[in-house]
Amino acid sequence: MTEAAAPLLAVRGITRHFAAKGPPVRAVEDVSFDIQRGEVLGVVGESGCGKSTLGRLALRLIEPTTGTVAFDGTELTTMAPQALRRFRRHMQMVFQDPFASLNPRMTIGDALIEAVRFHDRLGKTEARDRAAALLRQVGLSAEHLDRYPRAFSGGQRQRIAIARALAPSPRFLVADEAVSALDVSIQAEVVNLLKSLQEEFGLALMFISHDLSVVEVISDRAMVLYLGRIMEIAPIDDLYSRPAHPYTVALLQAAPGGGKRGGDRLLLKGEIPSPSAPPSGCVFRTRCPFAIADCARDVPPLTTVRPGQLKACIRDDLTL
Ligand SMILES: Nc1ncnc2c1ncn2[C@@H]1O[C@H](COP(=O)(O)OP(=O)(O)OP(=O)(O)O)[C@@H](O)[C@H]1O
Ligand code: SF4
Ligand SMILES: [Mg+2]
């Protein structure tokens, strides 16, 4: 009998607190999940819920307060800096603002050549050929190599940022609001590009976005975060057609077009509490219309609703 393949990324109990005046900000709290090879995991939740912090932790761009991250069976959280540098090529990030991550005084070609040569000892000509190939992969052409970032539109810049992330032939990509700054018409093009590259190269992708409709298009599974904790994680069809956590339902209904989902609207009450002073027990309870006294007691564990779909809610009697 063959064993089930180990996940590409295994995150266990990851927690990150940021020092602040007063109690620390609990940006990410005890989050565990896997990403399989070639899988797209969407990450959704309101602003400040810890999406970007989680993405950075997954790549070990920042250190966890506690918890571990293993990439292809290798523990990243205890890896020495030099070994980590070699490992970096497997794990790349695409950010929201491509202009901020491109040096305005460097041609696109030089930026790509630099990215290529950072990880591979290629000669000048080979590196330039590889840069041209990368540009073609993202729908641009070799003639763009000698141009500066300002010559490109927002969508083209994001394509260049994707090309640069692909330069070291990574196996895992974190895209943090990678299309959020683009016009809606351009968003679909860039998302489709990312999806086709992800499929072509069998990349695992953590796709972070506050836009539920974009996440639905690209993801195999998605995770819903609230105040740094997972509320629900499920295959994408289950999450959108039969959400199991009250917060997921509220998020879906609050999204444009979400009112069509039928049933009574589950309106969120009040404001998100401060991540420096999250509620006891279920962190969502101060805004949950179904909260009962028990919800204040313990942090609800993630429990299985149906295969692959897990929710952190103690109430199994709800019809959502
Ligand atoms: N370097 C930092 N120092 C202090 N606090 C931070 C730092 N980075 C993030 N935070 C705080 O951690 C919490 C989570 O932030 P994070 O950026 O991960 O959220 P997010 O879900 O990505 O939000 P958005 O949708 O606005 O991008 C927030 O309260 C934020 O203010
Ligand atoms: S545990 Fe309680 S407060 Fe939390 S989502 Fe479930 S019903 Fe609402
Ligand atoms: Mg963010």
Side-chain angles (χ1 to χ4, degrees), residues 231 245-247 282-286 288-292 294-296 300 312-315 318:
M231 297 292 105
H245 193 286
Y247 180 60
C282 174
V283 286
F284 183 54
R285 70 180 167 80
T286 55
C288 180
F290 306 112
I292 53 176
D294 274 355
C295 299
C313 170
I314 58 169
R315 292 195 62 176
L318 302 175

Side-chain angles (χ1 to χ4, degrees), residues 48 50-53 56 96 176-177 208:
K51 302 183 295 296
S52 296
T53 304
R56 292 188 170 96
Q96 172 168 8
D176 188 0
E177 304 283 1
I208 299 170

Side-chain angles (χ1 to χ4, degrees), residues 16-20 25-28 44-56 62 96 176-177 208-210 225 228 274-276:
R16 175 63 204 234
H17 296 170
F18 290 109
V25 177
R26 299 166 173 225
V28 171
V44 300
E46 290 163 284
S47 181
C49 70
K51 302 183 295 296
S52 296
T53 304
L54 186 61
R56 292 188 170 96
I62 56 172
Q96 172 168 8
D176 188 0
E177 304 283 1
I208 299 170
S209 177
H210 65 273
L225 290 180
S274 161
S276 298

Side-chain angles (χ1 to χ4, degrees), residues 146-167:
D146 298 316
R147 299 193 192 157
Y148 290 88
R150 63 174 176 276
F152 295 92
S153 67
Q156 287 175 323
R157 283 181 202 156
Q158 201 54 284
R159 286 170 189 267
I160 293 161
I162 293 168
R164 198 173 55 169
L166 293 176

Side-chain angles (χ1 to χ4, degrees), residues 77-267:
T77 25
T78 51
M79 197 180 257
Q82 208 182 357
L84 185 64
R85 245 192 324 275
R86 279 198 304 275
F87 234 78
R88 283 258 168 257
R89 65 171 312 154
H90 301 305
M91 315 178 296
Q92 295 288 310
M93 189 143 184
V94 180
F95 296 96
Q96 172 168 8
D97 180 1
F99 205 44
S101 62
L102 294 168
N103 182 344
R105 282 174 299 279
M106 208 185 234
T107 64
I108 294 310
D110 285 342
L112 287 176
I113 287 167
E114 186 183 79
V116 166
R117 293 181 97 186
F118 186 75
H119 294 283
D120 291 305
R121 286 163 189 254
L122 295 182
K124 271 207 176 120
T125 317
E126 280 172 289
R128 195 178 161 88
D129 289 348
R130 170 99 176 107
L134 284 165
L135 278 184
R136 282 192 294 272
Q137 274 171 352
V138 298
L140 298 169
S141 66
E143 67 192 51
H144 292 117
L145 282 172
D146 298 316
R147 299 193 192 157
Y148 290 88
R150 63 174 176 276
F152 295 92
S153 67
Q156 287 175 323
R157 283 181 202 156
Q158 201 54 284
R159 286 170 189 267
I160 293 161
I162 293 168
R164 198 173 55 169
L166 293 176
S169 308
R171 298 156 68 195
F172 175 45
L173 212 58
V174 174
D176 188 0
E177 304 283 1
V179 300
S180 305
L182 303 175
D183 290 345
V184 173
S185 58
I186 311 294
Q187 279 188 3
E189 283 177 21
V190 177
V191 167
N192 290 338
L193 170 72
L194 208 50
K195 181 80 186 158
S196 65
L197 291 169
Q198 177 268 325
E199 285 173 356
E200 184 180 344
F201 299 119
L203 285 173
L205 174 64
M206 186 167 167
F207 187 87
I208 299 170
S209 177
H210 65 273
D211 185 335
L212 291 156
S213 59
V214 177
V215 169
E216 187 174 11
V217 171
I218 197 168
S219 305
D220 300 308
R221 281 192 305 145
M223 167 197 295
V224 179
L225 290 180
Y226 183 81
L227 280 177
R229 289 185 184 272
I230 299 180
M231 297 292 105
E232 180 165 0
I233 182 165
I236 201 74
D237 293 343
D238 290 326
L239 193 82
Y240 283 71
S241 66
R242 39 188 183 182
H245 193 286
Y247 180 60
T248 312
V249 176
L251 263 191
L252 289 170
Q253 291 185 345
K260 293 196 296 272
R261 284 178 194 269
D264 292 334
R265 283 179 77 83
L266 197 163
L267 291 175

